[in-house]
Each structure stands twice: as C-alpha cells, then as structure tokens.
Amino acid sequence: MMYDFLVDLFGNSTLADIIAGTIQSILPLFVFILPFALFAVYLERKVSAHMQDRLGPMRTGWHGWKQTIADIIKLIQKEDIIATDNDKLLFNLAPIVVFVGSYAAFAAIPFSSYFIGTELDLGIFYIVAVTGLVVAGILMAGWASNNKYSLLGSMRSVAQIISYEIPTILVMLSLVMISGTMSLHTLSEQQTGYAWNWYIFGGPGMTLSKFLLIPSMFIGFLIIYISTLAEVNRTPFDIPEAESELVSGYHTEYSGMKFAMFFLAEYANMFAVSAIVVALFLGGYQSPIGYFGDLIGASWMIPIEQFTWFTIKGLFFVFVQMWLRWTLPRLRVDQLMTTSWKYLIPIAFVNLIIIGLITLL
Amino acid sequence: MKEYFGNIYTALATIFIGMKITFKHMFVPSVTIQYPEVKPQLPERERNRLYVNMDDCIGCDQCSRACPVSCIEIETTKSLPGEDLGKTSNGKKKALWVTNFTIDFAKCCYCQLCVFPCPTECIYMTDVYEFAEWERNKLVYDFATLTPEERQEKRDNLAKFNAEKEAEKLKAASEPKPEIKKDQPEEK
Ligand code: SF4
Ligand code: SF4
C-alpha cells in the first residue's frame, strides 16, 4: 500500500506516520483532482462546442488547451467580495465544507490496488456519509449569501440530493448484498480477471445466479448513474444552478477563490460519482482485457495500468455526463421529484428484492 | 401500469435518440470562422468604408448633398483660366481644384446614398471594414490629393486672380464709359 511504502521511506516512527499521512492525503489533490478539474473544464468546453458545431476555445495555445489555466489564474487574482449583509462565518465556511465533502470522498476511492487513500472496510458507507457534508455546505452557502436566488438554489439542491440519495443507496445496498462487502477495494478485487467478471455482467463466477443477475444489474447501473447525476447537480438535474432562472444558484454571490472552490468541488464530484459507479459496476481499476504487466512478467507495471484503466473508465463516465448535459433540457422541479420518487425509488426497491432473492439461490 | 412502463420506455428511448444526435454533431465540421485568420466571404454588394478616387472627382458636391448625416465635407477652388486639370476617365472636364474632401466615418451610416449621384462614379464602397480607432477624430479621412501647401497655393491663386479681376473692374469703372462709345456707332 501507498501508506506503508511512505512510512517505510521515512523510517518507522510517529513522525514518519504524520509525514506519510500528510503526503497521502494531499497527493490526490495535486496529482489528480486539480489536473482533472482543469482538464474536465477544458473537455466540457470542447465537448459542448463540438456538439453544437462550434470550435470552443482556440486562442490560448494549441486548440486552446491553456484556457483553463488562464481562467484559474484569473480566478486567483480576483477580488474576494463579501457583501455587508452576508452571514460572514457561514459564507466563508461554506465553500470549504463543500470542498472538503467532495474531497473526502476521494479517500476511499481505489485508484489502483496500491494507490488508495485508506482501505476502509466501510468504503461505500463512508462515501455516502461524507458526501452528505456537501449538502450542508450548499445550504450554508445559500443561506449565508442572503440572496433569494442563492437560497432558492440551495433549497432545491438539498431537496434534490436528499431525494436522489435514496435510489443511490438502494442500488449500493443491492451490490453489498451480492458481494458481501462494503470495501471498495475488496469490491474491485472481486471483479478481477476479464470484463465478464464485472458486476454489471453479474459478477465473478460462472453460476446460474450470475446470468439471472445480469438484467437486474443493468437496471441498477442505470438507476445509480441517473441518481448520481442528480446528486452532483448536473444537467438534466441542474435546477439548483439553473442559469436561466437563478443566475447561478447557490454560488451566485461568490467570487474569486471561493467560487473556484465550488467549481473545483463540482468537478471533483463529477469524477467521484463516476468513480463510484465504475468501482461498483465496472470492475473498478481492473483491466477488462488482462494486464500487459502480467504478460511480460513485470508486476510493477500492474498498478500503473490499473490507475490508467481507472482513469479511463472514470473519464468516460464524466464524458457521458457532459454528453447528457448538452443533449437534455432541464427537468422541472415536479418532474425531478416524480423521477425520483415514482420511478427510480420503486424500481430500485423491486430490483433490490429481486437481487436478494437471486442471491438466496 | 401500462402508462408507467410506457413512460420509462419513452424516456429512455428518447434520451438515446437525443444522445445519438448530439454524438453525430461532434463530428460535423463546425461553422465557426476563425475570424482574423480566416475572413468570411462578404456579400457582393456589401457596404463598408468608402473610397474616393480623386483622379476622377470633379468636385461637384453631389455626394455631400445626398448624404443624410452630412459627413462629407468638400471645399473646391475654381481653377484659373489657363490651368488644365485634365479629364475624368469618362470624359468630363475637370474645372475645380478639390482643396478639401473629408469623410467622417464616425458619423457615416454606410447608407450608400452618396454613391449613386456621383456623375463620374468615383466615390464607392470598398471591402475594408477593419478600421476601428481609439480616437474619434482619426476616423475623419481626408481624400484630397493635394498637399496642404498646394491647397493654400490654389486658394491664394484664386484670391489673387479675383483680386486682379476686381482691380481691373474697378479700373474699368473709373475710366470714361467705353460702352457709350461702342453703342453710338451701332445706332448710326
Ligand atoms: S454612405 Fe451614407 S452616410 Fe456615409 S457618406 Fe455616404 S451618404 Fe453619407
Ligand atoms: S459626387 Fe463624385 S465627383 Fe461629385 S464631389 Fe462627390 S465624389 Fe466628387
């Protein structure tokens, strides 16, 4: 594991523990989240542009690849505006809470069999719990801004996240029933081998129940994808930010670095939910076609390959999120609630029961 | 119940149809024109910055009078009898020095009304549209080809000529009336 390696590197002592822990916890931010956010914003612009037959950023660097870097530099330089009527404490705390909430989820996400923040036995549970912080942060932001648009946006957001948490958890629960574990690392390890061992294809093994599970798994996959999409406030579930109605929702009043933190959290969240979907259904960091490192007997290559596979899968689902964003119009509030309470939750529940019965076989 | 599953089916099916369309559009060549590098093809009768071909301008002031915003300013100076100003390309004889011909493009509304009355077709629209300036008075274009000294010279020449004529007239007036002498033989 990464952590043990770092502890060894600094000599076994309490100090080494602290240093290793610090590095371990900061590493994903600089190695992964920041570059990912920069890349994802660029990707989003390019994808949206090309889907609308435009070109997107073209001026800064080759095909505008430096655009997001320029943007982040601009954001850092901007004035940090706090209006007189804002609730100062909550206003300043909100972006931090939102960011911490989405960043903490990365602790339990297995990037590869070696690079995993912490090997929690309760990985799934932890992620569900800790991303709950985001809701609190959003509500804080909306309330403290003292702005009707912000407040409306944050209330919508909270209602939406809470409604869609239920189908997400129901699907996660069905996976926990099949696999018998809540650790994302163990879940990924169970799906080793080839693509047909992934849980979307019924999981490992060649038993009858595997084939019976396939339809339920596809349904579960769709449900969790839709509901996680709603949890990160992406179109078609972007009513909390609805630019055309609410300026930009709960972060209307924010500027400069605080706005950047919301932004970063949003993109980090996009990857986090994609990563969870990937870890649950699509084999996590496992390669669908076997490892090149195994083939040539270089076992040190395997974690790198795993990391690559994980990133590719995660990015693919981030791409699908963008794809959906530029395809679908926004749902109305009542439609949003209908989708969750009348469709996703009952189906997820029936699915859960069916999966339970199959696992009893 | 039937409606319920119908809804699910429609939702999913239409989402996939939509996604297919947007995906196809990712590979459609984009319509964006990278403007300063690539310029769009302008329509045939576009109206942009005016140009005056001073070789052909006879200084008739028609364009200035046609202009609805009065942004063309022309000052002409009569040529002296002996001077030959040449001809325009369609054979009209030039008789006036154009000592000032400015068009203020800050005022111009690009209506092209000045173009049609010109008898020699020397004022016309070009395809230049990138002529923004930081200062408004830089948009006043001077088309007259004479140098400032020449202009002054022409004005002085005319003034001198007029003065001479005036002087001659005065002289003629002060002398005994020649007309009477002239008239008398005719009467006889
Ligand atoms: S285009 Fe119209 S506004 Fe401009 S100079 Fe000619 S007549 Fe005047
Ligand atoms: S109408 Fe033509 S010829 Fe007459 S003053 Fe204008 S530009 Fe010169």
Side-chain angles (χ1 to χ4, degrees):
Chain A
M1 292 298 124
M2 190 86 180
Y3 181 74
D4 303 327
F5 171 75
L6 284 171
V7 171
D8 275 348
L9 195 70
F10 294 111
N12 274 305
S13 68
T14 332
L15 185 68
D17 271 353
I18 295 169
I19 296 175
T22 315
I23 293 179
Q24 173 83 332
S25 54
I26 291 178
L27 210 57
L29 179 64
F30 291 105
V31 170
F32 200 79
I33 298 177
L34 267 181
F36 165 76
L38 290 180
F39 175 70
V41 174
Y42 176 70
L43 188 71
E44 171 112 56
R45 285 179 170 156
K46 278 294 183 190
V47 167
S48 64
H50 284 285
M51 281 183 177
Q52 298 170 346
D53 295 353
R54 295 183 285 116
L55 285 172
M58 288 293 280
R59 294 283 159 205
T60 39
W62 184 81
H63 278 248
W65 69 273
K66 291 185 223 155
Q67 188 64 50
T68 43
I69 299 169
D71 283 346
I72 203 84
I73 292 171
K74 186 200 80 174
L75 270 180
I76 290 170
Q77 292 172 338
K78 277 207 160 182
E79 188 192 350
D80 182 19
I81 299 167
I82 302 174
T84 3
D85 281 349
N86 290 346
D87 187 331
K88 304 271 176 327
L89 178 68
L90 290 185
F91 189 78
N92 291 331
L93 205 58
I96 301 170
V97 172
V98 170
F99 184 70
V100 165
S102 53
Y103 183 44
F106 277 80
I109 289 173
F111 284 95
S112 79
S113 50
Y114 282 85
F115 187 32
I116 168 168
T118 162
E119 244 196 295
L120 279 175
D121 284 341
L122 290 174
I124 298 173
F125 189 69
Y126 165 77
I127 286 177
V128 170
V130 91
T131 46
L133 259 184
V134 176
V135 185
I138 288 174
L139 194 56
M140 272 157 90
W143 178 257
S145 293
N146 210 344
N147 173 322
K148 59 190 169 197
Y149 297 122
S150 301
L151 188 58
L152 267 176
S154 65
M155 287 194 313
R156 285 179 179 190
S157 175
V158 170
Q160 170 176 333
I161 293 179
I162 289 174
S163 319
Y164 279 86
E165 202 105 273
I166 301 167
T168 316
I169 294 172
L170 284 176
V171 173
M172 285 177 171
L173 204 61
S174 53
L175 260 150
V176 172
M177 270 163 50
I178 303 169
S179 61
T181 175
M182 275 200 174
S183 153
L184 282 170
H185 183 233
T186 323
L187 256 168
S188 306
E189 283 299 326
Q190 282 175 353
Q191 304 177 60
T192 185
Y194 295 95
W196 54 83
N197 283 338
W198 293 354
Y199 274 118
I200 193 163
F201 300 117
M206 275 297 166
T207 51
L208 175 67
S209 58
K210 171 187 164 87
F211 294 102
L212 287 176
L213 273 174
I214 292 177
S216 304
M217 285 322 232
F218 268 96
I219 293 169
F221 173 75
L222 274 180
I223 290 172
I224 199 171
Y225 195 76
I226 295 170
S227 50
T228 52
L229 199 62
E231 276 188 60
V232 292
N233 299 336
R234 297 279 302 176
T235 322
F237 306 105
D238 69 338
I239 59 159
E241 289 166 37
E243 289 94 343
S244 42
E245 306 163 26
L246 296 180
V247 191
S248 69
Y250 54 87
H251 51 62
T252 307
E253 290 286 320
Y254 285 88
S255 63
M257 266 326 272
K258 287 191 202 133
F259 173 75
M261 281 178 94
F262 277 118
F263 211 60
L264 205 61
E266 187 184 324
Y267 278 88
N269 252 337
M270 273 168 71
F271 188 81
V273 296
S274 303
I276 293 164
V277 171
V278 165
L280 290 179
F281 281 95
L282 292 164
Y285 50 73
Q286 304 288 0
S287 152
I289 47 170
Y291 293 108
F292 189 62
D294 268 344
L295 211 65
I296 58 168
S299 59
W300 55 269
M301 270 181 70
I302 293 176
I304 299 171
E305 278 181 59
Q306 288 175 331
F307 185 77
T308 318
W309 277 112
F310 192 76
T311 320
I312 290 174
K313 288 180 203 171
L315 275 183
F316 175 74
F317 282 105
V318 170
F319 169 72
V320 177
Q321 286 177 351
M322 292 172 182
W323 186 359
L324 279 168
R325 172 167 180 183
W326 299 104
T327 304
L328 299 176
R330 184 182 307 134
L331 290 177
R332 240 172 21 227
V333 183
D334 62 319
Q335 290 169 334
L336 185 92
M337 290 298 156
T338 314
T339 315
S340 175
W341 293 98
K342 285 200 188 154
Y343 290 92
L344 295 183
I345 293 177
I347 297 172
F349 210 76
V350 172
N351 207 26
L352 179 72
I353 294 170
I354 293 174
I355 290 174
L357 288 177
I358 294 172
T359 42
L360 275 184
L361 278 181
Chain B
M1 210 59 205
K2 206 177 154 201
E3 199 198 332
Y4 184 81
F5 287 106
N7 281 345
I8 296 174
Y9 175 76
T10 334
L12 286 178
T14 46
I15 287 172
F16 284 121
I17 291 170
M19 285 174 84
K20 207 173 105 192
I21 291 170
T22 38
F23 194 72
K24 268 194 206 145
H25 271 274
M26 282 191 59
F27 304 101
V28 172
S30 62
V31 295
T32 315
I33 292 169
Q34 290 288 294
Y35 161 60
E37 285 94 50
V38 186
K39 298 220 168 125
Q41 175 77 44
L42 291 171
E44 207 177 305
R45 287 184 285 171
E46 85 274 7
R47 304 208 294 253
N48 299 306
R49 192 169 75 186
L50 286 161
Y51 180 73
V52 185
N53 181 2
M54 287 309 287
D55 289 345
D56 277 359
C57 177
I58 54 171
C60 65
D61 208 28
Q62 300 257 34
C63 50
S64 171
R65 261 176 275 158
C67 178
V69 293
S70 309
C71 64
I72 307 180
E73 240 169 71
I74 301 174
E75 184 202 299
T76 50
T77 310
K78 272 192 208 148
S79 60
L80 303 184
E83 280 174 325
D84 182 19
L85 278 72
K87 282 184 176 180
T88 64
S89 54
N90 62 359
K92 280 212 163 57
K93 240 188 117 218
K94 294 211 256 181
L96 298 165
W97 293 110
V98 182
T99 44
N100 191 20
F101 194 125
T102 58
I103 302 183
D104 188 349
F105 287 106
K107 287 188 201 155
C108 176
C109 61
Y110 307 98
C111 61
Q112 212 180 5
L113 287 178
C114 54
V115 171
F116 304 115
C118 179
T120 58
E121 283 166 24
C122 65
I123 180 166
Y124 48 83
M125 293 287 181
T126 57
D127 56 3
V128 185
Y129 49 88
E130 298 157 305
F131 54 98
E133 293 283 357
W134 288 106
E135 281 161 51
R136 204 170 288 175
N137 56 16
K138 283 194 182 153
L139 283 170
V140 180
Y141 282 60
D142 190 355
F143 287 100
T145 40
L146 302 172
T147 60
E149 295 83 52
E150 278 177 327
R151 294 180 200 183
Q152 202 49 50
E153 190 196 321
K154 305 294 173 205
R155 287 190 199 116
D156 291 349
N157 277 352
L158 185 67
K160 217 164 90 195
F161 177 74
N162 282 345
E164 276 169 14
K165 234 165 92 180
E166 213 46 35
E168 254 172 50
K169 252 190 200 164
L170 278 177
K171 220 166 90 190
S174 63
E175 273 173 13
K177 286 158 194 168
E179 309 104 89
I180 302 162
K181 281 179 190 169
K182 248 187 182 178
D183 286 348
Q184 276 167 345
E186 269 177 40
E187 272 178 338
K188 279 173 184 175

